[in-house]
Amino acid sequence: MKLRKASAAAAAALVLSLTATACGGGSGSDSDSDDGKITIGIKFDQPGLGLKKPDGTFAGFDVDVATYVAKELGYEAKDIEWKQTPSAERENMIANGDVKFVVASYSINDERKQKVDFAGPYFVAHQDLLVRANDNSITKAEDLNSKKLCSVTGSTPAQNVKEKLAPKADLQNYGGYSECLGGLENKAVDAITTDDSILAGYASQKEHQGKFKLAGLKLSDENYGIGLKKGDTDLQSKINKALEKMESDGSWEKAVKANFGPANYKNDPAPKITEGS
């Protein structure tokens, strides 16, 4: 009798185990959910990098990189759920599991690496300034000490200016670069600082052509990485392999030309992978 009860219990346990597996217990580490979708963090307001268009679709170099990586992980474009990821919220959204990874002009630095891991880098940008087309008063970083400078809360370029380049600059932190652009146009600020790739994207938009110009200053090197949860070395390795493949098969160069070509942007070659190696 006891043996029969034990056998029944074992059979019940086996059924429960098989049921759990069938319900998604073996869905794999790269899946955000059991429905075969993956959530990726990008910017929604950066022309040339990550932009949500009026028709609800997304475009930009970061979008192309994220789409390529997702495909290498087993997800088609239709399986991607894009999530807006403000600069100041990137680490929190990764740590909380709101996104699987972030591709959002996300510069790799030691402070951020205390909280998240990176794959890549996949692009090298340089900090620059965007000024009004008729303004010739800013030719070097020190000129910002008497100017109103706009950047986005939590961004590396804003910290770089305030701490190293022009500590007396009147730094205005806005929620997004599109807000900074409005301030530059109506003369509420004198310059915008961020990566040249981002600034080139704005300057090349049809409605802005002829209004603004890049100062042409390479104030820093910004190595863009793909941010992911700390300790997920398996995902980090898979993303790095995808990035290497993207460069080797010509997709990386094609994406650069498609997104930055209209602005006549002079990009650096694809960087070597350094994270996770």
Side-chain angles (χ1 to χ4, degrees):
M1 189 70 170
K2 289 181 180 179
L3 180 60
R4 191 178 301 164
K5 285 183 178 179
S7 298
L14 178 60
V15 169
L16 285 172
S17 175
L18 291 172
T19 303
T21 301
C23 290
S27 59
S29 62
D30 292 326
S31 179
D32 264 353
S33 61
D34 295 338
D35 60 1
K37 301 288 186 181
I38 185 170
T39 304
I40 302 174
I42 58 169
K43 295 292 182 68
F44 280 18
D45 65 342
Q46 289 183 350
L49 285 161
L51 183 68
K52 184 176 183 179
K53 299 194 290 186
D55 63 2
T57 60
F58 299 87
F61 181 71
D62 283 348
V63 175
D64 289 346
V65 170
T67 302
Y68 189 100
V69 169
K71 187 173 183 180
E72 291 300 303
L73 295 176
Y75 301 93
E76 297 300 323
K78 63 181 176 59
D79 301 323
I80 300 172
E81 294 180 349
W82 302 109
K83 195 152 196 171
Q84 186 170 17
T85 312
S87 294
E89 292 299 318
R90 288 177 294 205
E91 287 86 14
N92 289 336
M93 292 178 73
I94 292 169
N96 294 338
D98 298 325
V99 293
K100 191 67 174 178
F101 54 84
V102 169
V103 191
S105 55
Y106 199 3
S107 297
I108 300 169
N109 63 38
D110 291 338
E111 183 181 352
R112 289 170 177 165
K113 286 168 71 171
Q114 298 299 312
K115 301 175 183 178
V116 300
D117 281 340
F118 287 95
Y122 64 91
F123 192 81
V124 179
H126 305 281
Q127 184 178 354
D128 202 354
L129 305 173
L130 190 70
V131 298
R132 289 181 289 276
N134 60 357
D135 185 356
N136 298 313
S137 65
I138 301 174
T139 59
K140 57 186 183 299
E142 291 78 8
D143 293 335
L144 292 170
N145 280 314
S146 60
K147 302 288 186 179
K148 290 182 179 179
L149 177 67
C150 188
S151 194
V152 170
T153 303
S155 71
T156 302
Q159 298 168 5
N160 192 39
V161 168
K162 201 63 181 171
E163 295 171 6
K164 302 175 184 177
L165 302 175
K168 294 182 180 178
D170 183 3
L171 184 61
Q172 310 284 317
N173 286 312
Y174 285 22
Y177 293 111
S178 55
E179 296 174 42
C180 282
L181 204 68
L184 183 60
E185 186 170 7
N186 64 31
K187 299 186 179 182
V189 298
D190 300 303
I192 304 171
T193 188
T194 188
D195 303 344
D196 51 8
S197 56
I198 298 172
L199 298 175
Y202 281 114
S204 65
Q205 284 186 297
K206 191 172 294 184
E207 65 269 30
H208 298 143
Q209 288 178 3
K211 295 180 180 179
F212 311 109
K213 64 182 179 182
L214 287 164
L217 310 178
K218 290 190 174 183
L219 302 175
S220 71
D221 295 332
E222 304 297 336
N223 291 283
Y224 290 174
I226 295 179
L228 60 144
K229 189 168 286 189
K230 200 159 185 63
D232 196 342
T233 55
D234 182 55
L235 179 60
Q236 183 185 49
S237 176
K238 289 178 180 178
I239 294 176
N240 280 336
K241 288 178 181 176
L243 293 174
E244 289 173 343
K245 183 178 177 181
M246 187 177 186
E247 194 276 327
S248 65
D249 70 12
S251 298
W252 186 90
E253 187 66 29
K254 183 178 178 181
V256 168
K257 289 180 179 177
N259 292 292
F260 300 127
N264 198 29
Y265 176 66
K266 308 299 183 186
N267 63 282
D268 286 10
K272 297 291 184 184
I273 303 294
T274 59
E275 300 305 303
S277 59

